[in-house]
């Protein structure tokens, strides 16, 4: 709770925290909207494939012309990452290969990295984090996004002496969503294609939230940052409201639905018949705690925590997250404290590409949120054993043999270019014992 006094000291000394933002999409724009209201924080350069679009984004979020003119705009993210005078690089492109390339450029230049790009983090994050630590810089999750918020809750739970039974987030989910494509995604959001287009909404991106891919990616990131386990069969998405978190998200041995304590899981805001869950957690995050003794369990009840029938398990939750509006927390923690707001530390979870329908040899995979595959959460051990194709490498690659609907695509099923830098980083991850 000392970020603002620390920042004020830097501001008064004429040493503002200077940032490079790579990617001026929705997440980046939300961050940009807050910057003018945080004295001592400056965005010195914005990199975007279309620099003029980045300028338009700044105007749209309320920047005045003086601030826009004082900011540099470039098309090359690696150039922005290496610029003199920059302390923190925010990678917010959402493109796995570009994200890894930009992170490596920032690390090589001695800059802290805030990785909004969770797709890149799950694909090769343990390698990037290891290189950042060796270089003496911070590699951080993005506060405001669910993985960082869950990591904070897990850290709080452990630091106060509790066992973490489960941690994760809420989402809107039905089993049929795994087969949804960009053609029919808007019907599930209550929008027409015309209205979505007018709002600038990308159907493939929004479909990745619906078809389970984003949930798989985010839970893998949490497992890798927090040392939590991944369900062997993938996410179950139980329909659970906030009052029942502790009852459902506890081990099967005591009446819950988890294999054991210490798991990640996503809860659905819809019952399987489509009815809304009572007091759902669609926009929020949670942690389920296990009391270390009867005294602590009694305190759960005394202070109003929702518990399971034994009184040993209780839930804490945050009902909302504000995404890019909260991103400065990561920037300031990195620059002022030298600490991440959550960071990948090992490889425990992976997001594997799974066929949405029967796929034929010769077809091109179109990646996250597309027509061909969705991402399923897998234990990293299992992913390595079956040579699962990560969803982050499943874009623009050709199938060399048929893959049945519901089956995980493997690296042997596709023609990957092993000379690509991102593939080499992935192979380094797979070859390392974490």
């Amino acid at each position: 709770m000392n970020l603002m006094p620390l920042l004020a000291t830097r501001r008064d000394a004429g040493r503002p925290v200077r940032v490079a933002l790579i990617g001026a999409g929705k997440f980046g724009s939300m961050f940009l909207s807050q910057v003018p209201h945080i004295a001592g924080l400056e965005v010195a350069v914005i990199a975007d494939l279309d620099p003029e679009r980045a300028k338009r984004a700044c105007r749209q979020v309320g920047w005045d012309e003086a601030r826009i003119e004082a900011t540099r705009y470039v098309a090359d993210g690696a150039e922005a990452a290496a610029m003199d005078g920059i302390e923190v690089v925010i990678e917010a492109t959402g493109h796995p290969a570009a994200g890894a390339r930009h992170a490596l450029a920032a690390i090589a230049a001695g800059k802290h990295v805030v990785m909004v790009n969770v797709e890149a983090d799950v694909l090769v994050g343990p390698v990037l984090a290891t290189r950042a630590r060796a270089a003496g810089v911070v590699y951080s999750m993005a506060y405001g996004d669910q993985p960082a918020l869950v990591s904070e809750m897990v850290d709080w739970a452990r630091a106060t002496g509790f066992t973490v039974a489960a941690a994760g987030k809420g989402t809107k989910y039905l089993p049929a969503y795994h087969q949804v494509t960009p053609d029919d995604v808007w019907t599930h959001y209550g929008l027409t294609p015309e209205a979505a287009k007018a709002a600038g909404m990308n159907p493939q991106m929004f479909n990745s939230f619906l078809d389970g891919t984003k949930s798989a990616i985010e839970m893998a990131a949490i497992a890798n940052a927090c040392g939590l386990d991944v369900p062997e069969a993938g996410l179950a998405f139980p329909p659970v409201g906030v009052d029942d978190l502790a009852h459902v998200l506890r081990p099967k041995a005591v009446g819950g639905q988890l294999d054991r304590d210490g798991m990640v899981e996503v809860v659905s805001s819809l019952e399987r018949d489509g009815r809304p869950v009572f007091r759902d957690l669609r926009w929020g995050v949670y942690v389920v705690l296990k009391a270390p003794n009867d005294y602590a369990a009694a305190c759960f009840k005394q202070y109003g925590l929702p518990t399971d029938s034994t009184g040993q398990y209780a839930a804490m939750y945050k009902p909302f997250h504000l995404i890019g509006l909260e991103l400065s927390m990561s920037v300031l923690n990195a620059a002022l404290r030298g600490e991440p707001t959550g960071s990948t530390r090992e490889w425990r979870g992976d997001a594997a590409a799974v066929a949405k329908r029967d796929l034929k040899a010769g077809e091109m995979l179109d990646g996250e949120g597309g027509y061909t595959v969705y991402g399923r959460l897998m234990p990293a051990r299992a992913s390595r054993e079956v040579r699962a194709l990560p969803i982050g490498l499943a874009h623009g690659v050709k199938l060399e043999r048929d893959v049945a609907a519901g089956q995980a695509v493997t690296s042997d099923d596709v023609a990957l270019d092993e000379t690509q830098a991102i593939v080499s980083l992935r192979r380094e991850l797979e070859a390392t014992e974490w």
Side-chain angles (χ1 to χ4, degrees):
M1 295 178 229
N2 296 303
L3 285 175
M4 293 314 293
L6 291 171
L7 184 59
T9 299
R10 287 281 302 268
R11 178 199 65 213
D12 294 344
R15 296 174 50 243
V17 174
R18 302 181 79 240
V19 176
L21 171 66
I22 306 175
K26 179 63 172 177
F27 207 118
S29 293
M30 293 177 81
F31 168 69
L32 292 172
S33 75
Q34 300 304 101
V35 169
H37 311 287
I38 307 172
L41 176 62
E42 296 181 2
V43 175
V45 58
I46 301 174
D48 195 275
L49 293 176
D50 183 351
E52 288 302 315
R53 179 180 62 183
K55 287 185 180 181
R56 290 195 298 272
C58 291
R59 291 189 178 95
Q60 185 177 11
V61 302
W63 278 28
D64 60 33
E65 290 302 314
R67 186 178 294 271
I68 291 171
E69 288 301 316
T71 304
R72 184 174 175 183
Y73 300 85
V74 299
D76 187 342
E79 176 189 353
M83 281 180 57
D84 291 338
I86 298 297
E87 278 188 80
V88 183
V89 175
I90 301 170
E91 214 302 327
T93 65
H95 188 283
R101 183 172 66 251
H102 297 150
L104 289 175
I107 293 166
K111 321 292 189 187
H112 302 307
V113 178
V114 174
M115 202 65 164
V116 176
N117 192 334
V118 68
E119 292 82 4
D121 184 62
V122 168
L123 182 61
V124 295
V127 176
L128 299 176
T130 298
R131 296 193 184 184
R133 285 191 288 270
V137 296
V138 171
Y139 176 85
S140 177
M141 289 177 166
Y143 200 90
D145 217 357
Q146 290 104 322
L149 298 180
V150 173
S151 294
E152 180 183 48
M153 297 183 82
V154 169
D155 193 49
W156 164 83
R158 289 171 173 164
T160 48
F162 298 109
T163 295
V164 173
K169 68 164 194 171
T171 196
K172 180 181 178 182
Y173 170 85
L174 290 173
Y177 290 171
H178 290 310
Q179 283 74 50
V180 175
T181 73
D183 286 343
D184 54 347
V185 64
W186 299 127
T187 62
H188 300 286
Y189 283 100
L191 296 170
T192 64
E194 294 75 20
K197 184 177 181 180
M201 300 168 70
N202 182 312
Q204 187 157 344
M205 181 187 75
F206 275 81
N207 195 40
S208 73
F209 288 97
L210 193 72
D211 70 8
T213 300
K214 193 67 76 173
S215 290
I217 290 171
E218 290 176 340
M219 292 305 105
I222 292 166
N224 294 340
C226 299
L228 294 171
D229 287 334
V230 167
E232 294 289 333
L235 294 169
F237 296 95
V240 184
V242 296
D243 300 315
D244 296 321
L245 289 167
H247 178 73
V248 174
L249 298 173
R250 57 179 177 159
K252 295 174 183 175
V254 292
Q257 295 187 16
L258 303 181
D259 292 334
R260 54 190 171 277
D261 287 327
M263 307 289 290
V264 295
E265 186 57 88
V266 175
V267 297
S268 176
S269 64
L270 295 177
E271 301 285 356
R272 291 298 189 256
D273 61 4
R275 290 178 298 117
V277 166
F278 179 65
R279 283 175 39 87
D280 69 81
L281 195 65
R282 178 178 177 184
W283 307 107
V285 295
Y286 75 88
V287 62
V288 174
L289 322 167
K290 181 181 180 182
N293 50 54
D294 291 340
Y295 183 88
C299 291
F300 285 167
K301 183 176 182 180
Q302 291 163 9
Y303 288 91
L305 272 72
T307 66
D308 75 328
S309 56
T310 72
Q312 297 294 314
Y313 290 86
M316 295 285 277
Y317 61 90
K318 188 173 185 176
F320 301 101
H321 66 294
L322 292 177
I323 321 175
L325 299 182
E326 301 180 77
L327 183 57
S328 57
M329 293 291 290
S330 295
V331 173
L332 297 179
N333 268 286
L336 303 176
R337 288 189 178 136
E339 295 179 354
T341 50
S343 184
T344 294
R345 299 188 180 279
E346 53 188 313
W347 191 38
R348 299 177 74 95
D350 199 17
V354 174
K356 285 188 172 182
R357 54 175 173 77
D358 290 338
L359 302 175
K360 298 298 182 182
E363 287 193 68
M364 295 291 289
L365 301 184
D366 57 357
E368 180 181 351
Y371 295 84
T372 57
V373 291
Y374 71 92
R376 176 188 293 165
L377 184 64
M378 291 182 69
R381 164 189 43 78
S383 176
R384 177 190 273 141
E385 288 174 357
V386 302
R387 289 176 51 80
L389 179 70
I391 191 70
L393 293 181
H395 185 84
V397 294
K398 183 181 292 187
L399 279 175
E400 294 194 322
R401 53 192 184 189
D402 297 351
V403 179
Q407 181 179 321
V409 183
T410 73
S411 293
D412 300 321
D413 295 327
V414 297
L416 279 179
D417 181 357
E418 297 288 339
T419 67
Q420 289 186 343
I422 189 64
V423 177
S424 297
L425 285 171
R426 176 67 185 196
R427 296 295 178 246
E428 181 179 341
L429 169 71
E430 294 167 345
T432 304
E433 293 299 326
W434 297 95

